[in-house]
Amino acid sequence: MNKKNLEQFKKKLLAEKSELESGLSGIGQRNPSNAGGWEATTGGIEVDSADENEVADKLEELEENTGIVSQLDKQLSEVNAALERIEKGTYGTCEVCGKPIEEDRLMANPSSRVSIKHDHK
């Protein structure tokens, strides 16, 4: 992969990382017990624990946010791993066969680890 393309993918990955972190910060906070990980929050609004409806609403919000945070955190981990591969010089190489990942695949998903042929999702 040429240097210009590599820089283009790095730029896309950094933009995606920023977007994911922004999304995460709106519904979660960094988890101090999991380096780099996130945990869901309910937006920080205090709830009167005597009001069962408010407590139920907050628990429902926390449950929804937990699923969203889990998905965004997973995506962020993939982006960070791709950025590490760029630094190591292994970016764009299929982790299954060792051949170059198709450029159009990387354009669609810059954090891809494998070629289309080896993607068994």
Side-chain angles (χ1 to χ4, degrees):
M1 177 175 303
N2 67 45
K3 196 170 190 166
K4 181 180 176 186
N5 287 351
L6 196 59
E7 282 301 315
Q8 181 182 7
F9 290 123
K10 184 175 182 178
K11 193 174 185 178
K12 285 182 74 147
L13 286 162
L14 290 171
E16 185 177 352
K17 178 179 179 173
S18 177
E19 189 176 308
L20 288 167
E21 287 177 338
S22 177
L24 281 163
S25 67
I27 57 171
Q29 63 187 15
R30 292 194 184 271
N31 182 346
S33 64
N34 178 8
W38 290 76
E39 62 186 7
T41 64
T42 59
I45 299 172
E46 292 299 316
V47 175
D48 180 2
S49 61
D51 186 336
E52 291 178 14
N53 290 328
E54 285 185 39
V55 171
D57 288 346
K58 283 298 173 185
L59 288 174
E60 186 177 330
E61 181 182 352
L62 181 62
E63 187 176 314
E64 288 174 10
N65 287 353
T66 298
I68 296 168
V69 164
S70 176
Q71 180 60 36
L72 294 177
D73 193 29
K74 181 180 176 188
Q75 287 177 268
L76 182 59
S77 292
E78 289 297 320
V79 167
N80 284 331
L83 289 167
E84 287 177 23
R85 290 192 300 277
I86 287 174
E87 295 304 314
K88 292 179 181 177
T90 60
Y91 180 79
T93 302
C94 179
E95 292 181 355
V96 175
C97 67
K99 295 181 180 175
I101 297 172
E102 301 83 358
E103 196 167 315
D104 56 342
R105 178 171 177 82
L106 291 172
M107 288 299 283
N109 181 6
S111 60
S112 295
R113 294 174 175 266
V114 296
S115 64
I116 293 170
K117 178 176 150 182
H118 295 108
D119 189 8
H120 302 291
K121 288 185 179 179

